[in-house]
Amino acid sequence: MNVSELRLRFANALARIRATKPLVHHITNYVVMNDTANVTLHVGALPVMAHTTEEAAEMTGLAGALVLNIGTLSPAWVDAMLLAGRRANESGIPVVLDPVGAGATAYRTETCLRLLGGLRVAVIRGNSGEIGTLSGAGGVVRGVESVEGVANPAAAAGVLAHRYNTVTVITGQRDIVTDGGRVLVVDNGHEWLTTITGSGCMATALVAAFAAVEPDFLVAAAGALAAYGLAAELAAREARGPASFRTALLDRIYSLTPEQVAEGARVERLRQP
Amino acid sequence: MNVSELRLRFANALARIRATKPLVHHITNYVVMNDTANVTLHVGALPVMAHTTEEAAEMTGLAGALVLNIGTLSPAWVDAMLLAGRRANESGIPVVLDPVGAGATAYRTETCLRLLGGLRVAVIRGNSGEIGTLSGAGGVVRGVESVEGVANPAAAAGVLAHRYNTVTVITGQRDIVTDGGRVLVVDNGHEWLTTITGSGCMATALVAAFAAVEPDFLVAAAGALAAYGLAAELAAREARGPASFRTALLDRIYSLTPEQVAEGARVERLRQP
Amino acid sequence: MNVSELRLRFANALARIRATKPLVHHITNYVVMNDTANVTLHVGALPVMAHTTEEAAEMTGLAGALVLNIGTLSPAWVDAMLLAGRRANESGIPVVLDPVGAGATAYRTETCLRLLGGLRVAVIRGNSGEIGTLSGAGGVVRGVESVEGVANPAAAAGVLAHRYNTVTVITGQRDIVTDGGRVLVVDNGHEWLTTITGSGCMATALVAAFAAVEPDFLVAAAGALAAYGLAAELAAREARGPASFRTALLDRIYSLTPEQVAEGARVERLRQP
């Protein structure tokens, strides 16, 4: 696939989300639930949050994708994540993992490794410190922020992608997306994204919506990040600060057209050594 | 009551909320807590969230209305809902139920039926799929969205209203409000409401605020929906997308006057066969 | 310290937050989590939420300050608060307590007294009713609102400050900050703050960020309130209602400069009898 083909795939995926309105089941953190529900709705999918073992697996069975986000974790939620994840795996529903704060505490790191070990994860999306921690390449996470990235993000992502047979995404100034073989770089985005909480979680929610309609998860993840970054670029024009940026970001995700994605996606393939 | 009288009752209810600032106790879902707290505050009431069995009933005892919203349920929260609901029933405090996602999973449907069976519910407000499911009239819910409504919403609502002796509300393009005998239709609203998460939950929060001051719950529910829809119509003029619409919606709920409600409420009585 | 010196200390504290990006660990309520995370980020610190006993203490060990906010309490969260608070005490990390709704239910009042009794609390910030309740001076809390303040706020705050050796803050039209000896009054702020949920919780979050960099907690608390109030004054110019005010408030916290604080802080020392 060359860049033109990729852009077209991204645009088609967005169009397909709008046409089919896939249900995206989120087991996610309290801080960002409202934002990620809205982002899911604005891009054209249907969000639902259901976190108790009494219904998590049943809800997943109805969904087109499952988000597992460990931002505010507790043991009961991990149980629900495992149940929902297994149901997703049985039914061929893609699981998208957001390892919020992996590396900051042992509990977060261990939970991520447990989820990665026990489930087939379609895509894992984190910052440089989180993915660095999980890959063993290093990186330092303070709270939920990457305060020290890895020297070679593509290599760290590749290690994780190989080990768990999962598309691995490191978002940052340049977003890296790899399945262990192919490596895509997405350059859409805006620095305002670093000023709001949950910007990574919203990216993950969009990756899930795209993965619900695009079976090549490398393409799905890169397409979601291009769309998100593009909306951020448009939103930046309306921003008077981080909160008005966030409002504009959500507005622009809603109004983003497949045509804008086809024209504005800045993606390239990285040559591997 | 004719339409002019209804509009006046709606306006008076809003004025009474502003004058008496009733406490509205919400046991509700994580996704919308911030929005529903703000909507309660902006309309003139006082919101409080308290979900643990250690204090739920005591908090309800201080309140003018109780919201039970099952959007992100777990067994401990259901226990608190039942305790709080019983206290509300003992003290004559109206209980307003939002059956978010009833029909999507067995747990949600069963919990709603358990709450309806164990408590006197003043008003139940849902979408067409949720009320259709609970009434047995059909309807399909995917996640929390009604993807297939019932053929005759007023009839489905009437069945539920009769069975549980509760005012039943189906919100949609036209809002149906019935106590099993009288049927009101409210035509205020705007399609932007369908683009944001929690728009139904916010409607429920307003119904509770109105029910705290208006003992005819049919009038309370219809008045809340007229006020909400009117605020949405005003907000639509400021919207550049769903998020700026939401900001404007909250702003306009705050600034809405009883006079605007008396003039702008679009309500009619439906003749029953 | 005279007023000019205080203003300079406030400005320096803000500059130090921006320079050192302290981690602020919040164990807080569901309603305001998104707002308090954003406020923490916008002022220049790093927020993290972690509420389970499996990781709460470990996360606190990495932090520059710990917020304990009882707005939506349950026993498991109280356990985590105590564990995290003890770790904070062992490591000299300031603990900032927000007694949301103390006085409304026995559970909230008792939990606050338990936290105050079991932990060294650097700053407690509440409204007049909450602090009045905890000090024994009276005051009435309905839900989370102070519906009847105490006759002499500075005296009530002083009692609590003495009893628990903690800086005590009552926010209101005039903010009172006392360590039992010194009393500061901060007059920044805007009445729009009373129209949004979580405005007190956001103040508490900022107090924690300031306490992470300013070891005189009286100065830290007063500085945070001056900065917050100043941002509110600036935001009021952009407000068309409470929700657009909130957006502007967050925007202005982000853009607030140490120079603006040095010039705009309205603080004075109250002469004690």
Side-chain angles (χ1 to χ4, degrees):
Chain A
M1 257 181 300
N2 62 29
V3 165
S4 304
E5 287 166 334
L6 277 169
R7 285 173 168 170
L8 207 61
R9 288 280 286 276
F10 298 171
N12 286 344
L14 177 58
R16 216 144 59 237
I17 294 170
R18 300 263 164 84
T20 62
K21 296 185 180 305
L23 183 68
V24 179
H25 178 198
H26 302 253
I27 305 181
T28 188
N29 74 72
Y30 302 121
V31 185
V32 304
M33 270 193 196
N34 190 272
D35 284 337
T36 52
N38 270 318
V39 131
T40 303
L41 201 55
H42 299 345
V43 82
L46 297 178
V48 72
M49 276 66 181
H51 67 281
T52 191
T53 50
E54 273 76 8
E55 66 169 358
E58 184 181 356
M59 193 64 92
T60 296
L62 309 166
L66 171 66
V67 172
L68 304 179
N69 174 312
I70 69 156
T72 54
L73 215 47
S74 62
W77 288 58
V78 178
D79 292 344
M81 287 180 181
L82 286 165
L83 281 177
R86 278 181 210 124
R87 173 67 63 89
N89 283 174
E90 287 162 19
S91 309
I93 295 162
V95 176
V96 178
L97 174 63
D98 193 324
V100 183
T105 66
Y107 185 57
R108 293 191 184 219
T109 306
E110 284 160 14
T111 299
C112 281
L113 295 175
R114 197 172 155 209
L115 293 169
L116 283 167
L119 302 172
R120 272 199 321 282
V121 170
V123 185
I124 176 169
R125 187 222 60 84
N127 61 36
S128 179
E130 290 157 353
I131 300 297
T133 295
L134 294 174
S135 72
V140 177
V141 174
R142 194 165 53 175
V144 300
E145 293 285 323
S146 175
V147 291
E148 189 182 313
V150 289
N152 187 338
V159 166
L160 209 60
H162 268 297
R163 191 178 304 149
Y164 295 106
N165 192 24
T166 182
V167 169
T168 302
V169 178
I170 296 180
T171 47
Q173 205 173 355
R174 309 195 82 189
D175 301 328
I176 309 279
V177 184
T178 181
D179 59 6
R182 299 170 294 170
V183 183
L184 298 179
V185 178
V186 178
D187 281 318
N188 295 98
H190 196 281
E191 57 186 3
W192 275 121
L193 285 171
T194 64
T195 68
I196 56 172
T197 201
S199 59
C201 303
M202 287 192 271
T204 299
L206 291 180
V207 168
F210 275 72
V213 300
E214 168 55 67
D216 184 338
F217 300 135
L218 183 92
V219 175
L225 295 172
Y228 186 54
L230 205 49
E233 292 164 20
L234 296 166
R237 302 178 194 165
E238 302 174 49
R240 297 178 305 277
S244 53
F245 169 73
R246 183 174 67 163
T247 299
L249 175 65
L250 291 166
D251 280 356
R252 294 293 73 80
I253 288 167
Y254 177 82
S255 65
L256 196 69
T257 63
E259 291 69 30
Q260 284 177 305
V261 172
E263 284 168 27
R266 286 185 281 144
V267 59
E268 55 182 272
R269 289 193 69 156
L270 216 66
R271 299 288 151 206
Q272 284 296 78
Chain B
M1 258 181 299
N2 61 30
V3 165
S4 304
E5 288 165 334
L6 277 170
R7 285 173 168 170
L8 207 60
R9 288 280 286 276
F10 297 171
N12 286 344
L14 177 58
R16 217 144 58 236
I17 294 170
R18 300 264 164 83
T20 61
K21 295 185 181 306
L23 183 68
V24 178
H25 178 197
H26 302 253
I27 305 181
T28 188
N29 73 72
Y30 302 121
V31 185
V32 304
M33 270 194 196
N34 190 272
D35 283 337
T36 52
N38 269 319
V39 131
T40 303
L41 200 56
H42 299 346
V43 81
L46 297 178
V48 72
M49 275 67 181
H51 67 281
T52 191
T53 51
E54 273 75 7
E55 67 169 358
E58 184 181 356
M59 193 64 93
T60 296
L62 308 166
L66 171 66
V67 172
L68 303 179
N69 174 312
I70 69 155
T72 54
L73 216 46
S74 62
W77 288 58
V78 178
D79 292 344
M81 287 181 181
L82 286 165
L83 281 177
R86 279 182 209 124
R87 173 67 62 89
N89 283 174
E90 287 162 19
S91 309
I93 295 162
V95 176
V96 179
L97 175 62
D98 193 324
V100 183
T105 66
Y107 185 58
R108 294 192 183 218
T109 306
E110 284 160 13
T111 299
C112 281
L113 295 175
R114 197 172 154 209
L115 293 170
L116 283 166
L119 302 172
R120 271 199 322 282
V121 170
V123 185
I124 177 169
R125 187 222 61 84
N127 60 36
S128 179
E130 290 157 353
I131 300 298
T133 295
L134 295 174
S135 72
V140 177
V141 174
R142 194 165 52 175
V144 300
E145 293 285 322
S146 175
V147 291
E148 189 182 312
V150 289
N152 186 338
V159 166
L160 209 60
H162 268 297
R163 190 179 303 149
Y164 295 106
N165 192 24
T166 182
V167 169
T168 302
V169 178
I170 297 180
T171 47
Q173 205 174 355
R174 309 195 81 189
D175 300 328
I176 309 279
V177 184
T178 181
D179 59 7
R182 299 170 294 171
V183 183
L184 298 179
V185 177
V186 178
D187 281 318
N188 295 98
H190 196 281
E191 57 186 3
W192 275 121
L193 285 171
T194 64
T195 68
I196 56 172
T197 200
S199 60
C201 302
M202 287 192 270
T204 299
L206 291 180
V207 168
F210 276 72
V213 301
E214 168 56 68
D216 184 337
F217 301 135
L218 183 92
V219 174
L225 296 172
Y228 185 54
L230 205 49
E233 293 164 19
L234 296 166
R237 302 178 194 165
E238 303 174 49
R240 296 179 305 277
S244 53
F245 169 73
R246 183 174 66 164
T247 299
L249 175 65
L250 291 166
D251 280 356
R252 293 293 73 81
I253 288 168
Y254 177 82
S255 65
L256 197 69
T257 63
E259 291 69 30
Q260 284 177 304
V261 172
E263 283 167 28
R266 285 185 282 145
V267 59
E268 55 182 271
R269 288 193 69 157
L270 216 66
R271 299 288 151 206
Q272 284 296 78
Chain C
M1 258 181 299
N2 62 29
V3 165
S4 304
E5 287 166 334
L6 277 169
R7 286 172 167 170
L8 207 60
R9 288 280 286 277
F10 297 171
N12 286 343
L14 177 58
R16 216 143 59 236
I17 293 170
R18 300 263 165 83
T20 62
K21 296 184 180 305
L23 183 68
V24 179
H25 178 198
H26 302 253
I27 304 181
T28 188
N29 73 72
Y30 302 121
V31 185
V32 304
M33 271 193 196
N34 190 272
D35 283 337
T36 52
N38 269 319
V39 131
T40 302
L41 201 55
H42 299 346
V43 81
L46 297 178
V48 72
M49 276 66 182
H51 67 282
T52 191
T53 50
E54 273 75 8
E55 66 170 357
E58 184 181 356
M59 193 64 93
T60 296
L62 308 167
L66 172 66
V67 172
L68 303 179
N69 175 312
I70 68 156
T72 54
L73 216 46
S74 62
W77 288 58
V78 178
D79 292 344
M81 288 181 181
L82 286 165
L83 281 177
R86 279 182 210 124
R87 173 67 63 89
N89 283 174
E90 287 162 19
S91 309
I93 295 162
V95 176
V96 179
L97 174 63
D98 193 323
V100 183
T105 65
Y107 185 57
R108 293 192 183 218
T109 306
E110 284 160 14
T111 299
C112 282
L113 295 175
R114 197 172 154 209
L115 293 170
L116 283 166
L119 302 172
R120 272 199 320 283
V121 170
V123 185
I124 177 169
R125 187 222 61 84
N127 61 35
S128 179
E130 290 158 352
I131 300 297
T133 295
L134 294 174
S135 72
V140 177
V141 174
R142 194 165 52 175
V144 300
E145 293 285 323
S146 175
V147 291
E148 189 182 313
V150 289
N152 187 338
V159 166
L160 209 60
H162 268 297
R163 191 178 303 149
Y164 295 106
N165 192 24
T166 182
V167 169
T168 302
V169 178
I170 297 180
T171 47
Q173 205 174 355
R174 310 195 81 189
D175 300 328
I176 309 279
V177 184
T178 181
D179 59 7
R182 299 170 294 171
V183 183
L184 298 180
V185 178
V186 178
D187 281 318
N188 295 99
H190 196 280
E191 57 186 4
W192 275 121
L193 286 171
T194 64
T195 67
I196 56 172
T197 201
S199 59
C201 302
M202 286 193 270
T204 299
L206 291 180
V207 168
F210 276 72
V213 300
E214 168 56 68
D216 184 337
F217 300 135
L218 182 91
V219 174
L225 296 172
Y228 186 54
L230 205 49
E233 292 164 20
L234 296 166
R237 302 178 194 165
E238 302 174 49
R240 296 178 304 277
S244 52
F245 169 73
R246 183 174 67 163
T247 299
L249 176 65
L250 291 166
D251 279 356
R252 295 292 74 80
I253 288 168
Y254 177 81
S255 64
L256 197 69
T257 62
E259 292 68 31
Q260 284 176 304
V261 172
E263 283 167 28
R266 286 185 281 145
V267 60
E268 55 182 273
R269 288 194 69 157
L270 216 67
R271 300 287 151 207
Q272 284 296 79

